[in-house]
C-alpha cells in the first residue's frame, strides 16, 4: 500500500482542530469558574453543562470506535447480521432506563462520582473494592478502542500503527489534562459532528460502487453471502437475550455516564440529557448499519481488496469492514473523511474513559479513603497526574496486550454483574449493608469467572445447559449465565444484609463481632449523631466530654447535598443557605 501524504495531512489537520478546541475549552473553564472549586470544574464541569453540549458529549461517549466498527461488523458477518447488531438498540435503551430511574436520584443527592453512594452506605473499603471493576472497565475500553484506531488508520493510510495510537492517545490525554470535563465535552461536540459528516458522506459513494449489489436485494436474498438482515436461531435465543440485557443494564453503571448526569445543572436536565443521547445513539448507528450492509453486498473479487479471491471474512478481517469499505469502495478523498470519523469516535470515548478513571481515583480513593483533608490544589494535581498515568497505561495496553478485547469483554461483564446490582441496592433497597455488599461482590465474581470467557481462552468451571465446544476447543455458554450471575449478586446482597442485621440486632452475634461497623456500630453512630441517647434526666449535657470529630462524620459531610437543605427547611426563619438558593 502506498503512503498517502494527503491522508496524513488530513489527520494532522483534524488532530490540530481537536487540540485547539480542547485548549480553548480549558481556557474558557479557567475564566468562567474563577473562585469555584476546581475539583468540581474538572470532574463535573461546575454542574452547568447545557442541554446542547451535554446531549452531544453523552452521545459521543457511547458512539465510540467500538460502537461504529462493531455495528458494521455485526451486520456484515453472515452468521449474525442486523438481528445481532444489538449495540444501537441496547445502549439507547440503557440511556432511557438510566434517565428514568437512575439520573434523578444520583443528581438530586449532589454526588460527584458514581462511587459516592457506595462509600456513603457501605464505607470506604467497600468503595475501594468496587473501584477495581469500574477502573478495569474504563481502562480496557480505552485500550481496546485505541488499538482499533491504529488498525483502522493502517488500512486507509500506510503509517506506523504504534505511532498512530501514541499520537491519538497523547492528544486526547493532553486536552483532558488541561481542561477536564469542559475540554472533553466541547471536543465531543466537534468529534460527533465529524463522525456524522464523515460516515454519511461515505455511504452514497460506497453504495454506488459497481461491485455493490442493491442492499435491498441482499437484505432478504442470498447473493454473495447470507442475507444481511440476519436471524436468531432457537438455540441462540437465550444467548441473544443474555447479551441484550448486558447492554441495556450493564450500560448504566459507568462513571462516564454518571459524569455527564452529575454535570447537569438539575436533576430534570440530567434526565433530558439521557433521553437526547438515546436518540443520538440510534441516529449515529444508521450509517454504520448501511456500511455493514454494503460490505455484505459487495463482490470483493471486483475490487483491489479481493485480487487474491478472498473477502474480508475469509481473511479474518471482518472486524475491519468499515475502514475496508471506506478504503476500497470510496474515492480516496472521501475515505479520508471516513478516517476522520473513526478517529473522532475513538478519541471521544478514550478521553471520557481516562477522565472517568482519574475522577474516581482522585475523589473516592485518594480523598475519601486516605486524604480527607486534602486541599483543592492538591486534589487538582492528583487529578492531572492520574489523567496522564491512566492515559499512558491505556496506550501501553493498546500496544502490548494481545487480548485487549477479551479483557474488555470480561471487565464490562464485571461492571454489569457486580456494580449494577450494588447500585440498585444503594439507591432503591433500604437496609443493605457492607456484609451483604461483600457477599454480592463475591457471588457475582465467582459465578462470572466460572462461566469462562472464549476471548481469553478461559475454560468454564460450570457448563450450563446448552454449552458447546467451538472451533478453538473452548466451551461457549448458550445459557444466560451472565444474567443469572447478576441476579445472584443482587439477591445475595439483600439476603446477607438482612441476615447480618437480624443476627446482630437479635443478639445472636455479639456487637464486637461487627468488625465492619455496618450494623450495630453504624446504628449507634447514627443515634449519637442525632443526640438521641441523651434522653434521661440523670445525664446532663455539661457532663459530656468534648468529642473529636470522627472519620465517619467527615465522610458523611463529603456527600452532603447542600441544595437539599434549602428545599427541606421548615424553620420559621430561613437559613443563609436557603436565602442564597432563593437568590
Amino acid at each position: 500500500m502506498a503512503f498517502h501524504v494527503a491522508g496524513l495531512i488530513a489527520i494532522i489537520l483534524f488532530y490540530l482542530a481537536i487540540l485547539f478546541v480542547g485548549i480553548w475549552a480549558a481556557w474558557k473553564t479557567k475564566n468562567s469558574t474563577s473562585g469555584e472549586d476546581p475539583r468540581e470544574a474538572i470532574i463535573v464541569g461546575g454542574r452547568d453543562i447545557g442541554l446542547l453540549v451535554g446531549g452531544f458529549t453523552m452521545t459521543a461517549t457511547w458512539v465510540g470506535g467500538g460502537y461504529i466498527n462493531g455495528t458494521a461488523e455485526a451486520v456484515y458477518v453472515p452468521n449474525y447480521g442486523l438481528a445481532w447488531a444489538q449495540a444501537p438498540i441496547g445502549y439507547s435503551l440503557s440511556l432511557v432506563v438510566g434517565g428514568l430511574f437512575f439520573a434523578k436520584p444520583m443528581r438530586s443527592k449532589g454526588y460527584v462520582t458514581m462511587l459516592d453512594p457506595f462509600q456513603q452506605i457501605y464505607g470506604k473499603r467497600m468503595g475501594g473494592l468496587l473501584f477495581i471493576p469500574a477502573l478495569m472497565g474504563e481502562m480496557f475500553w480505552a485500550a481496546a478502542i485505541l488499538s482499533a484506531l491504529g488498525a483502522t488508520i493502517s488500512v486507509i493510510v500506510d503509517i506506523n500503527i504504534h505511532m498512530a495510537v501514541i499520537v491519538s492517545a497523547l492528544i486526547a490525554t493532553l486536552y483532558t489534562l488541561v481542561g477536564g470535563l469542559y475540554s472533553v465535552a466541547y471536543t465531543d461536540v466537534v468529534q460527533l459532528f465529524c463522525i456524522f459528516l464523515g460516515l454519511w458522506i461515505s455511504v452514497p459513494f460506497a453504495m454506488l460502487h459497481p461491485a455493490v449489489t442493491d442492499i435491498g436485494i441482499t437484505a432478504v436474498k442470498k447473493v454473495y453471502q447470507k442475507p444481511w438482515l440476519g436471524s436468531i436461531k432457537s438455540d441462540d435465543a437465550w444467548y441473544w437475550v443474555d447479551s441484550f440485557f448486558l447492554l441495556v443494564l450493564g450500560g448504566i453503571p459507568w462513571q462516564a455516564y454518571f459524569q455527564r448526569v452529575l454535570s447537569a445543572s438539575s436533576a430534570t436536565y440530567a434526565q433530558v440529557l439521557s433521553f437526547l443521547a438515546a436518540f443520538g445513539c440510534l441516529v449515529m448507528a444508521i450509517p454504520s448499519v448501511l456500511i455493514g450492509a454494503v460490505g455484505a453486498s459487495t463482490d470483493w473479487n471486483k475490487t483491489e481488496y479481493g485480487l487474491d479471491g478472498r473477502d474480508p471474512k475469509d481473511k479474518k478481517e471482518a472486524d475491519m469492514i468499515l475502514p475496508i469499505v471506506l478504503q476500497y469502495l470510496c474515492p480516496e478523498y472521501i475515505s479520508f473523511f471516513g478516517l476522520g470519523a473513526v478517529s473522532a469516535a475513538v478519541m471521544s470515548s478514550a478521553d471520557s474513559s481516562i477522565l472517568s478513571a482519574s475522577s474516581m481515583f482522585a475523589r473516592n480513593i485518594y480523598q475519601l479513603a486516605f486524604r480527607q483533608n486534602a486541599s483543592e490544589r492538591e486534589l487538582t494535581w492528583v487529578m492531572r497526574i492520574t489523567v496522564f498515568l491512566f492515559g499512558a497505561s491505556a496506550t501501553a495496553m493498546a500496544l502490548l496486550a494481545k487480548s485487549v478485547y477479551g479483557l474488555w469483554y470480561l471487565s464490562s461483564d464485571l461492571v454489569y454483574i457486580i456494580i449494577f446490582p450494588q447500585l440498585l441496592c444503594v439507591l432503591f433497597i433500604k437496609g443493605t449493608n457492607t456484609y451483604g455488599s461483600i457477599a454480592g461482590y463475591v457471588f457475582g465474581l465467582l459465578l462470572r469467572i466460572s462461566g469462562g470467557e472464549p476471548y481469553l481462552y478461559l475454560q468454564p468451571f460450570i457448563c450450563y445447559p446448552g454449552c458447546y465446544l467451538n472451533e478453538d476447543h473452548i466451551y461457549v455458554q448458550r445459557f444466560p449465565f451472565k444474567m443469572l450471575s447478576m441476579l445472584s449478586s443482587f439477591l445475595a446482597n439483600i439476603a446477607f444484609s438482612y441476615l447480618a442485621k437480624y443476627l446482630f440486632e437479635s443478639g445472636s452475634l455479639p456487637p464486637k463481632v461487627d468488625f465492619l461497623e455496618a450494623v450495630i456500630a453504624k446504628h449507634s453512630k447514627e443515634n449519637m449523631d442525632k443526640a438521641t441517647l441523651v434522653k434521661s434526666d440523670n445525664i446532663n449535657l455539661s457532663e459530656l466530654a468534648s468529642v473529636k470529630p470522627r472519620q465517619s462524620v467527615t465522610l458523611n459531610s463529603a456527600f452532603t447535598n447542600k441544595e437539599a437543605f434549602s428545599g427541606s427547611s421548615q424553620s420559621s426563619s430561613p437559613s443563609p443557605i436557603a436565602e442564597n438558593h432563593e437568590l
Side-chain angles (χ1 to χ4, degrees):
M1 184 187 299
F3 178 76
H4 292 290
V5 177
L8 181 62
I9 293 174
I11 294 174
I12 292 174
L13 291 176
F14 167 74
Y15 280 4
L16 287 176
I18 292 296
L19 185 60
F20 171 78
V21 173
I23 294 175
W24 170 81
W27 173 81
K28 181 178 183 294
T29 303
K30 185 177 181 180
N31 289 310
S32 62
T33 60
S34 57
E36 297 181 8
D37 188 342
R39 295 167 298 177
E40 286 212 353
I42 294 175
I43 299 176
V44 290
R47 300 193 195 274
D48 65 349
I49 298 294
L51 280 180
L52 181 62
V53 175
F56 271 103
T57 185
M58 191 176 286
T59 303
T61 302
W62 264 250
V63 184
Y67 183 88
I68 61 175
N69 277 318
T71 300
E73 177 191 359
V75 175
Y76 167 72
V77 175
N79 294 327
Y80 290 89
L82 183 61
W84 287 86
Q86 297 176 316
I89 301 295
Y91 281 134
S92 296
L93 287 178
S94 173
L95 289 164
V96 171
V97 174
L100 288 174
F101 300 104
F102 295 89
K104 192 170 185 177
M106 289 289 287
R107 177 62 186 91
S108 62
K109 293 179 181 178
Y111 295 129
V112 178
T113 73
M114 178 187 69
L115 295 182
D116 279 3
F118 299 118
Q119 287 190 305
Q120 185 182 25
I121 304 297
Y122 298 147
K124 61 182 181 181
R125 287 170 289 193
M126 197 63 219
L129 279 176
L130 291 170
F131 171 72
I132 296 173
L135 175 66
M136 289 173 57
E138 300 288 0
M139 295 306 298
F140 288 131
W141 172 236
I145 57 182
L146 285 172
S147 177
L149 175 63
T152 300
I153 292 179
S154 69
V155 171
I156 300 178
V157 182
D158 187 20
I159 62 175
N160 185 273
I161 295 178
H162 290 182
M163 183 61 65
V165 171
I166 292 172
V167 172
S168 301
L170 185 62
I171 291 176
T173 302
L174 179 60
Y175 65 70
T176 305
L177 186 71
V178 297
L181 185 62
Y182 273 106
S183 290
V184 171
Y186 280 96
T187 53
D188 279 349
V189 175
V190 178
Q191 289 158 351
L192 197 65
F193 176 77
C194 292
I195 298 169
F196 185 82
L197 181 65
L199 292 183
W200 271 115
I201 286 179
S202 307
V203 166
F205 289 93
M207 294 178 69
L208 295 175
H209 192 279
V212 178
T213 303
D214 186 350
I215 63 173
I217 296 174
T218 57
V220 295
K221 182 180 179 181
K222 181 178 179 180
V223 179
Y224 306 111
Q225 60 181 50
K226 294 180 180 179
W228 59 265
L229 283 179
S231 61
I232 303 171
K233 299 178 181 178
S234 57
D235 292 341
D236 296 325
W238 281 112
Y239 177 75
W240 189 94
V241 171
D242 199 22
S243 300
F244 186 72
F245 276 97
L246 170 63
L247 291 174
V248 175
L249 301 180
I252 296 172
W254 290 84
Q255 167 64 10
Y257 167 65
F258 283 111
Q259 196 148 30
R260 274 83 185 151
V261 166
L262 298 173
S263 69
S265 56
S266 68
T268 302
Y269 268 36
Q271 291 183 299
V272 175
L273 289 181
S274 299
F275 301 146
L276 288 175
F279 176 75
C281 284
L282 281 178
V283 172
M284 298 300 293
I286 296 175
S288 292
V289 170
L290 294 176
I291 289 175
V294 167
S297 308
T298 301
D299 183 0
W300 290 101
N301 294 328
K302 295 181 179 179
T303 67
E304 292 183 13
Y305 181 87
L307 293 178
D308 58 356
R310 295 188 297 166
D311 58 19
K313 62 181 181 295
D314 294 332
K315 295 182 181 180
K316 299 187 182 299
E317 294 180 345
D319 58 330
M320 302 304 298
I321 189 62
L322 188 142
I324 289 173
V325 167
L326 296 178
Q327 171 65 16
Y328 293 97
L329 301 182
C330 298
E332 185 177 289
Y333 65 94
I334 294 297
S335 66
F336 295 149
F337 277 99
L339 176 61
V342 176
S343 302
V346 168
M347 293 176 70
S348 67
S349 296
D351 57 15
S352 299
S353 295
I354 293 169
L355 180 62
S356 298
S358 60
S359 299
M360 290 187 292
F361 177 83
R363 163 76 174 173
N364 302 103
I365 304 301
Y366 185 83
Q367 180 188 8
L368 297 182
F370 297 107
R371 291 275 296 167
Q372 294 179 30
N373 296 321
S375 65
E376 295 177 0
R377 180 179 177 84
E378 179 181 347
L379 290 173
T380 301
W381 275 105
V382 170
M383 277 283 301
R384 290 171 177 168
I385 293 171
T386 51
V387 164
F388 176 78
L389 291 177
F390 288 145
S393 300
T395 306
M397 285 187 287
L399 298 175
L400 303 176
K402 295 182 179 180
S403 300
V404 67
Y405 266 99
L407 294 170
W408 148 245
Y409 280 120
L410 180 60
S411 58
S412 64
D413 288 355
L414 294 179
V415 170
Y416 167 56
I417 291 167
I418 295 177
I419 299 183
F420 177 71
Q422 304 263 2
L423 186 64
L424 280 177
C425 289
V426 296
L427 292 181
F428 304 111
I429 308 295
K430 292 184 179 181
T432 56
N433 52 52
T434 313
Y435 297 104
S437 180
I438 293 175
Y441 192 109
V442 173
F443 267 73
L445 180 63
L446 291 179
L447 285 174
R448 174 59 189 90
I449 294 177
S450 66
E453 179 49 62
Y455 283 96
L456 294 176
Y457 300 96
L458 180 64
Q459 290 282 17
F461 304 133
I462 303 174
C463 194
Y464 293 95
C467 71
Y468 65 95
L469 200 64
N470 66 6
E471 62 274 8
D472 295 321
H473 303 289
I474 301 293
Y475 281 97
V476 179
Q477 308 281 6
R478 282 197 175 105
F479 185 82
F481 78 100
K482 297 175 184 178
M483 187 190 304
L484 176 66
S485 303
M486 184 274 290
L487 292 174
S488 300
S489 176
F490 176 64
L491 295 175
N493 192 338
I494 298 174
F496 279 86
S497 291
Y498 281 94
L499 176 62
K501 182 176 172 54
Y502 170 77
L503 291 176
F504 282 115
E505 292 184 350
S506 65
S508 300
L509 290 177
K512 63 181 180 180
V513 182
D514 185 15
F515 65 97
L516 293 178
E517 300 182 349
V519 182
I520 300 298
K522 182 178 180 181
H523 182 66
S524 299
K525 287 179 180 179
E526 288 175 351
N527 286 339
M528 285 294 291
D529 290 339
K530 297 175 182 177
T532 54
L533 292 180
V534 188
K535 293 181 178 179
S536 177
D537 293 334
N538 60 355
I539 300 179
N540 297 321
L541 288 173
S542 59
E543 297 175 355
L544 297 178
S546 59
V547 180
K548 184 179 179 180
R550 295 188 307 275
Q551 190 178 39
S552 61
V553 177
T554 308
L555 271 174
N556 288 334
S557 65
F559 301 105
T560 301
N561 178 18
K562 297 179 180 179
E563 297 174 359
F565 289 112
S566 62
S568 61
S569 178
Q570 301 296 326
S571 60
S572 57
S573 58
S575 66
I577 297 177
E579 292 176 348
N580 292 335
H581 182 72
E582 290 172 357
L583 293 176

